Amino acid sequence: MNAPNANLSLVPFVSVENMMRLILEIGVETCMVEIAGYIEEDFRRWSSFDKTPRVASHSDEGVIELMPTSDGIDYGFKYVNGHPKNMKDGLQTVTAFGLLASVDTGYPVLLTEMTILTALRTAATSAVATKYLARKGSKTLAMVGNGAQSEFQALALKSICGIENLRLFDVDPAATKKCVANLKEAGLNITICATPEEAVLGADIVTTCTADKQCATILTDNMVGAGVHINAIGGDCPGKTELHKDILLRSDIFVEYPPQTRIEGEIQQLEDDYPVKELWQVMTGDSEGRTDERQITLFDGVGFAIEDFSALRWLRDKIAKNDNWQHLDMIADPDDPRDLFGMIERERARSA
């Protein structure tokens, strides 16, 4: 197969099938470790990016969003939805696709599925946050919510942060059973818990990742002890939260992009000027992360476009070295850029 971008009218496209092949060739954990590296690299050059809260269209059934950003060289966006009601119909709660383009020409250079890629980058981002914020030597993860994201979260924290013990709870026992089956060869000590209280007992890290589009209380204040790091991943739109407000008031809170997180994250429960820290500043040393063993740290992760940009950059680099992609005839590119109509007429002549 010709190298990607050899013909600007043909856009490299990564289908779901090819994404799965790529991941299986590389290994799921290795993919997330590599994507985490790209995320750290891009967070360290945060100021070079255009930044805006995602553009969201809400309905009673869910939300459809666009997440754009650019570093002045490449432009990327992701289309993503969140429809919790889909699960009962046998459909995914979240689906996504994305595009990377050249700022110089405006031409797309990559189009890809991002349902799977989003799962990888979300877990990689949680692991990066945990790496900087959790106590050193943390070994036990409690995962509250055992749906489509849970295995990725567990494996990313295992590979990047050294987690050895996994405690699982979900209101649906079938979800937990699925998670256990999928992780049976992962090298984790897995405990199935009957309640969220049981799951978080003795955990160093707690990750909440539930799908309901509503304000919920997955964790109450009395469940969170000193020194715990929390990844709050499931609350990602207005009116949807997972943590009791009192937990926020006891925690040092770290976010991706405050203007977006104040709309969508756990901190929508707090005053608009409530102090939070930005994760990228912890990475660059401009802000303190964890300062003592008893501190409660909270990563209020809602997902931000720069993380998707990082994942797209990773994928572009990967497909340059293998054949897990195909050309998509996507851009009309006539020999004479002023004669788009003539290109159609010449096709008529060829087809006659």
Side-chain angles (χ1 to χ4, degrees), residues 221-243:
D221 186 41
N222 64 307
M223 295 165 63
V224 179
V228 171
H229 171 68
I230 303 170
N231 295 311
I233 304 302
D236 57 5
C237 66
K240 179 183 176 185
T241 58
E242 296 180 313
L243 308 185

Side-chain angles (χ1 to χ4, degrees), residues 35-181:
I35 292 171
Y38 278 70
I39 290 171
E40 286 201 53
E41 181 180 323
D42 287 340
F43 271 44
R44 289 177 182 275
R45 59 188 188 105
W46 189 264
S47 60
S48 68
F49 284 91
D50 293 335
K51 293 173 284 293
T52 183
R54 56 184 143 214
V55 182
S57 177
H58 293 275
S59 70
D60 292 339
E61 304 298 340
V63 62
I64 295 174
E65 302 168 332
L66 289 177
M67 301 173 65
T69 191
S70 174
D71 65 352
I73 300 170
D74 296 306
Y75 169 90
F77 78 82
K78 183 175 76 175
Y79 166 100
V80 62
N81 77 298
H83 284 69
K85 62 97 178 175
N86 281 1
M87 193 62 64
K88 64 179 174 56
D89 298 324
L91 302 174
Q92 286 286 308
T93 299
V94 175
T95 65
F97 67 87
L99 181 143
L100 198 65
S102 166
V103 169
D104 182 48
T105 64
Y107 273 53
V109 298
L110 173 66
L111 179 67
T112 180
E113 84 79 37
M114 286 195 77
T115 306
I116 299 171
L117 189 56
T118 294
L120 294 170
R121 76 86 164 133
T122 300
T125 303
S126 294
V128 169
T130 303
K131 170 183 167 182
Y132 279 90
L133 299 175
R135 288 179 298 192
K136 301 301 181 186
S138 292
K139 298 297 181 184
T140 300
L141 166 66
M143 175 70 62
V144 182
N146 303 156
Q149 177 66 203
S150 58
E151 296 91 346
F152 297 96
Q153 291 279 331
L155 291 175
L157 267 71
K158 169 180 173 279
S159 297
I160 296 171
C161 304
I163 290 304
E164 298 176 357
N165 309 304
L166 177 62
R167 303 175 63 81
L168 298 174
F169 172 78
D170 195 291
V171 293
D172 180 3
T176 303
K177 183 178 179 181
K178 174 271 304 179
C179 187
V180 171

Side-chain angles (χ1 to χ4, degrees), residues 2 14 30 49 58 68 120 144 233 268 280 285 307 341 343:
N2 293 330
V14 181
T30 300
F49 284 91
H58 293 275
L120 294 170
V144 182
I233 304 302
Q268 66 185 275
W280 72 271
E307 296 150 22
F341 187 87
M343 185 178 73

